[in-house]
Amino acid sequence: MQKILVIGGSRYFGKHLVTLLRDAGDEVTVLNRGSAVPPPGVGHLVADRDDEGRLLEALGGRTFDTVVDQVCYTPLQAAVARRVFAGRTARYVMTSTMEVYDPAPPTPEARAYAEGKRQAEAVLRGPGEDGGPFGFAAVRTAHVLGGGREEFTGRLAHYVGRIAAGTPVDVHEAPYATSFVHHHEIARFLRWTAGQSFTGVVDAASHGALDVLGLCARVAERVGRPATFRIVEQGSPASPFSFDRGYALDNSRAEGLGYRFGRVADWLPGAIDEVMAEGTL
């Protein structure tokens, strides 16, 4: 049994992660701003992570085997965490994003998000592989799908809605493949990572990268209506997951460490069906 703190863990795959850790027998505590109450059997600390004094007050003398940080977006947040959790945990796992490699679409908002995550990783990692106050791992996630309304970005619903309505999908002329992961699978991977000892960056993605045309073909199969497309110029905005450059992750390090990912083809039909059943269009 481990003592694990989850920072965030209030929505989507974070909620599932907390439940998985609890059900595995770990002593789990959730830290958030009080907007959501964790499930039964899980401890709860209320603090704004940006307020270092209040965070220290909420933590008191508590220590943890592992901290899983679901909501670190900036180097300032990372610097607070590095100071506060030095000496409180042996291991720190940050949920990061594939966008640190190359933000897409290249909007100012996307670039700011990606740069914030990239700098946060650097602050928590510290100088050198073992230069920080704790063992640090960054899980760079693929695009997370599934869960119907729980998938708050609405990206899969975008495709289901447009194809069901016969509305053209904006795509690049020769779109590149990208990577996806089911919301339950990324929760399982984070739970597994919390119990490991490796450090550094690891990519998390299901097998079977798809380009936007392949994604639309699978949506069309479930909807029962063919997809139509409108070509946009290179560098112009397009629908989510249409990329004009390579944008797939390599999950070989995770698999080399012993984790086995599933396949997009196995879970995507069910994720599409969830959108259709819940009317999340």
Side-chain angles (χ1 to χ4, degrees), residues 102-161:
D102 181 14
T107 62
E109 295 79 11
R111 290 189 184 280
Y113 172 74
E115 185 60 24
K117 283 284 193 180
R118 187 182 300 116
Q119 291 185 24
E121 286 185 19
V123 169
L124 287 166
R125 182 172 58 248
E129 186 69 18
D130 299 313
F134 34 62
F136 173 68
V139 176
R140 293 179 176 173
T141 67
H143 305 293
V144 184
L145 297 180
R149 288 186 179 89
E150 290 186 65
E151 199 269 284
F152 57 90
T153 68
R155 292 176 296 187
L156 185 56
H158 167 89
Y159 289 102
V160 175

Side-chain angles (χ1 to χ4, degrees), residues 104-105 155 158-159 162-163 167-172 175 178 212 215-216 228-232 236-244:
R155 292 176 296 187
H158 167 89
Y159 289 102
R162 292 182 81 87
I163 292 171
T167 304
V169 177
D170 291 342
V171 299
H172 296 96
T178 191
V212 67
L215 175 63
C216 286
T228 59
F229 303 99
R230 180 169 55 200
I231 305 300
V232 302
S236 299
S239 291
F241 312 135
S242 181
F243 300 112
D244 55 6

Side-chain angles (χ1 to χ4, degrees), residues 16-42:
H16 191 50
L17 166 64
V18 169
T19 302
L20 287 174
L21 291 167
R22 180 201 64 187
D23 292 350
D26 292 313
E27 181 183 326
V28 187
T29 302
V30 166
L31 187 148
N32 59 29
R33 291 177 293 184
S35 57
V37 177
V42 174

Side-chain angles (χ1 to χ4, degrees), residues 215-260:
L215 175 63
C216 286
R218 285 154 180 80
V219 172
E221 288 174 4
R222 309 305 291 185
V223 170
R225 184 167 188 171
T228 59
F229 303 99
R230 180 169 55 200
I231 305 300
V232 302
E233 296 180 0
Q234 186 172 0
S236 299
S239 291
F241 312 135
S242 181
F243 300 112
D244 55 6
R245 57 206 183 279
Y247 211 70
L249 290 179
D250 179 359
N251 65 16
S252 60
R253 185 182 185 216
E255 296 234 324
L257 289 165
Y259 191 85
R260 295 293 176 264

Side-chain angles (χ1 to χ4, degrees), residues 37-264:
V37 177
V42 174
H44 190 199
L45 299 176
V46 177
D48 184 339
R49 64 168 305 149
D50 295 333
D51 186 331
E52 189 167 348
R54 293 293 298 273
L55 182 55
L56 285 166
E57 182 181 347
L59 289 168
R62 294 175 179 85
T63 60
F64 305 93
D65 298 304
T66 302
V67 173
V68 182
D69 193 341
Q70 291 281 89
V71 289
C72 187
Y73 299 110
T74 71
L76 292 177
Q77 291 177 331
V80 168
R82 182 182 169 98
R83 289 192 296 269
V84 167
F85 289 101
R88 290 181 184 270
T89 187
R91 180 164 172 75
Y92 202 100
V93 177
M94 173 186 164
T95 303
S96 190
T97 173
M98 66 189 298
E99 293 180 349
V100 301
Y101 292 113
D102 181 14
T107 62
E109 295 79 11
R111 290 189 184 280
Y113 172 74
E115 185 60 24
K117 283 284 193 180
R118 187 182 300 116
Q119 291 185 24
E121 286 185 19
V123 169
L124 287 166
R125 182 172 58 248
E129 186 69 18
D130 299 313
F134 34 62
F136 173 68
V139 176
R140 293 179 176 173
T141 67
H143 305 293
V144 184
L145 297 180
R149 288 186 179 89
E150 290 186 65
E151 199 269 284
F152 57 90
T153 68
R155 292 176 296 187
L156 185 56
H158 167 89
Y159 289 102
V160 175
R162 292 182 81 87
I163 292 171
T167 304
V169 177
D170 291 342
V171 299
H172 296 96
E173 185 173 7
Y176 286 79
T178 191
S179 295
F180 300 95
V181 67
H182 191 267
H183 68 123
H184 283 174
E185 184 165 45
I186 189 59
R188 290 193 297 269
F189 181 71
L190 286 165
R191 181 187 69 80
W192 177 84
T193 299
Q196 304 299 307
S197 60
F198 69 84
T199 58
V201 171
V202 62
D203 291 346
S206 301
H207 293 289
L210 286 173
D211 65 24
V212 67
L213 303 181
L215 175 63
C216 286
R218 285 154 180 80
V219 172
E221 288 174 4
R222 309 305 291 185
V223 170
R225 184 167 188 171
T228 59
F229 303 99
R230 180 169 55 200
I231 305 300
V232 302
E233 296 180 0
Q234 186 172 0
S236 299
S239 291
F241 312 135
S242 181
F243 300 112
D244 55 6
R245 57 206 183 279
Y247 211 70
L249 290 179
D250 179 359
N251 65 16
S252 60
R253 185 182 185 216
E255 296 234 324
L257 289 165
Y259 191 85
R260 295 293 176 264
F261 286 99
R263 301 193 63 81
V264 173

